[in-house]
Amino acid sequence: MAGRIPEDFISEVRSNVNIVDVISQYVSLEKKGKDYIGLCPFHQEKTPSFTVNEDRQFFKCFGCGKGGNVFKFLMYKDGLTFPESVQRVAEFAHIPMPAGFGDNPVSGKLSPLLKIQQEAVDFYHRVLLTTKAGERGMQYAQKRELNNDILEHFKIGYAPKEDNVLITYLRGKGYQDDDLAESGLFVQAKDGRLFDRFRDRLMFPLDNEHGRTIGFSGRRISNDKSEAKYMNSPETPIFTKSKVLFHFAEARKAARSEGHLVLYEGYMDVIAAYKAGIKAGIASMGTSLTDDQVYMLRRITPNIIVNYDGDDPGVHAEERAARMFNKDGNFNLGIVVLPENLDPDEYVKKYGTKKYQEEVSGALTPTDFFLKRLAQKYNLDNDREKITYLAEAIKEISQVRNPVEQDMYVERLARSAGVSIDSLKANLARERRRNNRARNHIRRNYSDELVDNTPPISEKLTTPQTEANKHPSQTRLLYFFIHSTSAQKYLLEHDFHFPNDNFESLAQLWLKYQETHDNLQIAGFLDFIPDQLQGIIVDAEATHIPKDCTVQEINEYIRAIQTRSIYSKLNELQNQLQDAKRKQDGLEIIKITQKIIELKRILG
């Protein structure tokens, strides 16, 4: 990207997108009043503190402190430079870059490790589709009914049998052995030599949530069961298995139209679902679901459907996943259990796409799922076991928070078991009282722990102490200076200067911005000022105070600032006085004392 992008073009791009639309690709946003709120994509949190203001076109997280306009969001989230973020937003708005700009793709400045992964994607894919060495992989792909559209969409490739094909290719492209060794694509012998890690495997690229490949999973083609069916890349600086979901970048886009994400066990299940018309499928990396992955899903949508294999291990894994989602408590969860112990890939092949879509649309609630599982554990023709089953079922129903849902399950349970609804409701009430006592006991113990084991101040979680937090009166005055013509005029006429250098710099920059821009926007001003000052503006804008003020209000803020300044000077003088007393410097003691008296006289 050559030279500096014209400011007029930057303004055009910013004005032609809605920051809510851009951020919605990364975060599930819910409208609350004038703002949209969601879970922060920059740190983990249980209660949403991430806010997007549509009117002023900026975002702010009150948990981690990050904020800014649409360009800043992409710089934080995707690690882009400012010109790259402008290009990304321009692409979103379907606005062509000016001549001489944007000739290189945004992804052109990838780190060496990301570049190596992308080179490997292209290499394996080309081998599969165009070479004689790839014919073996293509035969297996066709056997698994992977057509060219699927191979292209999922960027599937083939790693040949030889142990030096990829290493030779990448060295020929100029990559250094240190970076190649760190990529996870190679195995290093004791003598330091590198060999291809993946051999004779169908290769599935594993992308991060931005769609960049960070690792691979290779499916064994041979019948040699001494080798693992799937081999994943080892963990590297860019690939952490517990924080990755297969097909996530694509699925999160589809989730907006399909209304949910569907969680599978394996890659082939995601692909089978994709062929069946379900584009919002994802899978964990061949391991149990992790808390990090649950958080990734919650940021995108609360509507999750879990469809693991229909065999016993798959159903056990579904049970564990359902417990994890229920523990979080913020999901609308559905669970699909396919008949005949079939996995989704097998089911689609046997019964077709329409029947499979019906299975997904008819997903069970977690409570239905657990009750069905529970019923399978007992002989319900035996009264003793039936009583135990009903007691366990009531315990499960007591965990449901919605009273209407509880009634629904109790009535259904009473009908199926041939007992009265009133008797089950009595048991349910007793179980709920037991749950409440247990929760209260936990709360009391937790409170006692807080009293007895109060952590050091350095360990406590606090809201970031920003410049705006430190200087509330200056923040308010700066806000009025920017938004109120009369307030700005009054402050300039009275030759007011902000005591803090950063606030004074922002006031001067706003005056310059006014002189050089016709369309005054906070989102545009953020691009006009240095990065280190943007947080003050974002914090000021996030306060939602009225833009107009009276002269009396302005004078009160000025007095507050002056008073704070005097107290700060008094504090400094008190320290100097202590120092003078320690040195027994009589003249200095008198001099400092007089200054303290003068300042206290001003305070009244």
Side-chain angles (χ1 to χ4, degrees):
M1 204 174 282
R4 184 182 177 88
I5 301 174
E7 191 173 328
D8 288 347
F9 179 79
I10 295 171
S11 180
E12 179 190 357
V13 170
R14 191 192 317 105
S15 301
N16 277 279
V17 297
N18 186 338
I19 191 172
V20 173
D21 294 335
V22 175
I23 294 180
S24 291
Q25 296 180 90
Y26 298 82
V27 180
S28 177
L29 297 174
E30 180 183 355
K31 198 163 192 335
K32 286 286 181 75
K34 291 184 177 180
D35 293 335
Y36 289 81
I37 65 166
L39 292 167
C40 181
F42 308 119
H43 79 288
Q44 284 206 20
E45 58 183 7
K46 289 193 173 181
T47 304
S49 62
F50 181 83
T51 303
V52 183
N53 186 296
E54 189 173 25
D55 290 341
R56 301 175 191 176
Q57 292 290 296
F58 73 87
F59 72 92
K60 168 72 179 178
C61 177
F62 293 94
C64 66
K66 285 186 169 64
N69 62 13
V70 65
F71 302 132
K72 196 69 175 179
F73 177 84
L74 290 175
M75 290 168 72
Y76 281 134
K77 193 72 192 80
D78 289 351
L80 305 180
T81 64
F82 179 74
E84 288 169 347
S85 70
V86 172
Q87 182 177 341
R88 176 74 65 81
V89 179
E91 289 170 357
F92 182 86
H94 304 293
I95 300 173
M97 294 293 287
F101 297 91
D103 297 327
N104 298 318
V106 169
S107 59
K109 290 189 177 181
L110 300 178
S111 71
L113 289 184
L114 286 171
K115 284 183 181 179
I116 288 170
Q117 302 297 329
Q118 187 57 53
E119 294 273 18
V121 171
D122 297 338
F123 176 79
Y124 289 140
H125 190 58
R126 195 161 58 249
V127 167
L128 176 67
L129 296 182
T130 65
T131 70
K132 188 170 182 61
E135 289 178 0
R136 176 174 164 80
M138 183 59 78
Q139 288 171 1
Y140 179 81
Q142 290 170 346
K143 180 182 173 184
R144 297 301 300 265
E145 299 181 11
L146 303 177
N147 59 33
N148 282 345
D149 288 342
I150 293 295
L151 297 178
E152 288 292 342
H153 178 79
F154 290 92
K155 302 176 288 186
I156 297 169
Y158 174 68
K161 286 185 175 183
E162 293 78 8
D163 63 8
N164 62 352
V165 180
L166 183 63
I167 189 71
T168 302
Y169 173 77
L170 291 176
R171 280 172 176 160
K173 299 278 283 186
Y175 291 100
Q176 302 301 308
D177 275 15
D178 285 348
D179 290 328
L180 294 172
E182 199 174 22
S183 71
L185 290 168
F186 306 99
V187 177
Q188 194 163 26
K190 290 182 179 179
D191 61 4
R193 287 183 299 161
L194 296 175
F195 299 95
D196 293 3
R197 178 182 298 276
F198 298 99
R199 299 191 289 276
D200 194 28
R201 289 180 178 270
L202 205 64
M203 299 298 289
F204 296 87
L206 307 176
D207 296 347
N208 62 17
E209 62 179 296
H210 316 308
R212 292 173 178 162
T213 299
I214 53 177
F216 286 87
S217 184
R219 172 57 162 93
R220 185 190 74 216
I221 286 180
S222 74
N223 293 321
D224 183 0
K225 294 188 178 179
S226 65
E227 294 183 1
K229 182 186 287 188
Y230 282 97
M231 176 189 287
N232 290 333
S233 292
E235 298 211 344
T236 68
I238 61 171
F239 176 62
T240 303
K241 190 161 55 174
S242 64
K243 298 181 180 179
V244 177
L245 289 163
F246 178 69
H247 198 236
F248 183 72
E250 292 292 330
R252 73 178 184 190
K253 299 172 189 174
R256 289 198 291 275
S257 58
E258 295 185 18
H260 55 240
L261 287 167
V262 186
L263 178 64
Y264 296 99
E265 272 191 283
Y267 316 133
M268 292 305 298
D269 296 328
V270 173
I271 292 170
Y274 188 88
K275 290 194 292 184
I278 294 172
K279 313 298 185 188
I282 48 176
S284 54
M285 300 290 99
T287 59
S288 297
L289 192 68
T290 67
D291 289 334
D292 286 323
Q293 290 165 340
V294 169
Y295 187 77
M296 286 172 66
L297 300 178
R298 190 154 66 97
R299 272 200 290 110
I300 303 304
T301 177
N303 304 318
I304 305 295
I305 293 175
V306 182
N307 181 194
Y308 288 171
D309 294 355
D311 58 11
D312 283 342
V315 176
H316 280 299
E318 274 188 320
E319 189 170 346
R320 180 184 176 277
R323 296 289 185 199
M324 287 185 71
F325 285 117
N326 280 351
K327 181 182 175 184
D328 185 281
N330 292 294
F331 286 97
N332 175 28
L333 192 65
I335 299 174
V336 177
V337 181
L338 297 175
E340 303 171 41
N341 292 342
L342 296 175
D343 64 32
D345 188 25
E346 293 166 339
Y347 188 92
V348 170
K349 287 175 181 174
K350 185 169 182 177
Y351 293 105
T353 60
K354 185 179 179 184
K355 288 287 289 181
Y356 178 67
Q357 288 175 344
E358 290 172 359
E359 292 282 357
V360 172
S361 61
L364 300 171
T365 66
T367 304
D368 268 332
F369 169 72
F370 287 126
L371 291 178
K372 283 180 182 292
R373 291 276 292 154
L374 201 58
Q376 293 168 3
K377 295 178 182 179
Y378 295 98
N379 175 9
L380 300 185
D381 292 326
N382 179 295
D383 287 346
R384 184 173 55 82
E385 290 198 34
K386 187 176 182 178
I387 291 169
T388 305
Y389 159 70
L390 290 172
E392 292 294 320
I394 287 296
K395 280 184 182 179
E396 194 64 53
I397 294 171
S398 73
Q399 302 300 319
V400 177
R401 300 178 185 181
N402 187 326
V404 175
E405 279 188 69
Q406 284 189 343
D407 277 355
M408 184 178 72
Y409 293 125
V410 167
E411 288 178 14
R412 193 180 302 166
L413 183 64
R415 282 198 306 271
S416 65
V419 298
S420 74
I421 294 174
D422 289 343
S423 64
L424 291 183
K425 284 188 174 180
N427 285 355
L428 177 62
R430 186 164 58 248
E431 194 62 41
R432 286 167 64 180
R433 286 195 296 272
R434 187 179 292 124
N435 290 344
N436 289 335
R437 284 197 298 271
R439 278 194 288 268
N440 291 335
H441 179 69
I442 291 170
R443 287 195 194 103
R444 282 196 300 273
N445 286 349
Y446 180 66
S447 299
D448 291 344
E449 285 178 18
L450 288 179
V451 172
D452 295 339
N453 302 300
T454 303
I457 290 175
S458 61
E459 293 180 14
K460 292 180 181 178
L461 290 175
T462 57
T463 302
Q465 182 72 346
T466 62
E467 284 290 283
N469 297 146
K470 295 177 192 173
H471 307 286
S473 296
Q474 291 190 66
T475 301
R476 293 293 178 96
L477 267 191
L478 180 64
Y479 181 87
F480 293 135
F481 187 88
I482 288 172
H483 288 287
S484 170
T485 304
S486 59
Q488 184 185 116
K489 183 180 178 183
Y490 181 83
L491 290 168
L492 291 174
E493 285 176 350
H494 287 76
D495 197 28
F496 173 80
H497 292 279
F498 291 89
N500 182 278
D501 290 343
N502 287 336
F503 285 82
E504 179 64 17
S505 295
L506 283 168
Q508 297 304 317
L509 285 167
W510 178 255
L511 293 174
K512 190 179 293 184
Y513 183 70
Q514 280 182 310
E515 292 174 6
T516 55
H517 292 74
D518 295 327
N519 183 19
L520 302 180
Q521 294 180 328
I522 291 300
F525 184 52
L526 289 173
D527 293 331
F528 185 78
I529 62 179
D531 283 359
Q532 64 268 25
L533 299 180
Q534 291 181 11
I536 296 174
I537 296 297
V538 171
D539 285 347
E541 293 297 315
T543 55
H544 288 300
I545 56 178
K547 294 180 180 179
D548 295 321
C549 61
T550 63
V551 169
Q552 182 182 353
E553 284 179 280
I554 294 173
N555 286 332
E556 284 176 1
Y557 284 124
I558 291 173
R559 277 195 296 274
I561 291 168
Q562 291 171 340
T563 301
R564 182 172 182 146
S565 177
I566 290 171
Y567 275 118
S568 178
K569 289 177 183 175
L570 278 172
N571 189 50
E572 185 181 334
L573 286 170
Q574 291 288 0
N575 290 334
Q576 291 177 9
L577 182 62
Q578 291 298 323
D579 194 46
K581 287 179 178 178
R582 181 174 54 80
K583 296 176 181 177
Q584 296 184 339
D585 187 338
L587 290 176
E588 188 67 13
I589 290 171
I590 293 170
K591 182 180 173 182
I592 293 170
T593 302
Q594 287 174 339
K595 288 181 180 179
I596 290 173
I597 292 169
E598 288 171 11
L599 289 176
K600 286 186 175 180
R601 190 177 292 124
I602 294 172
L603 287 174

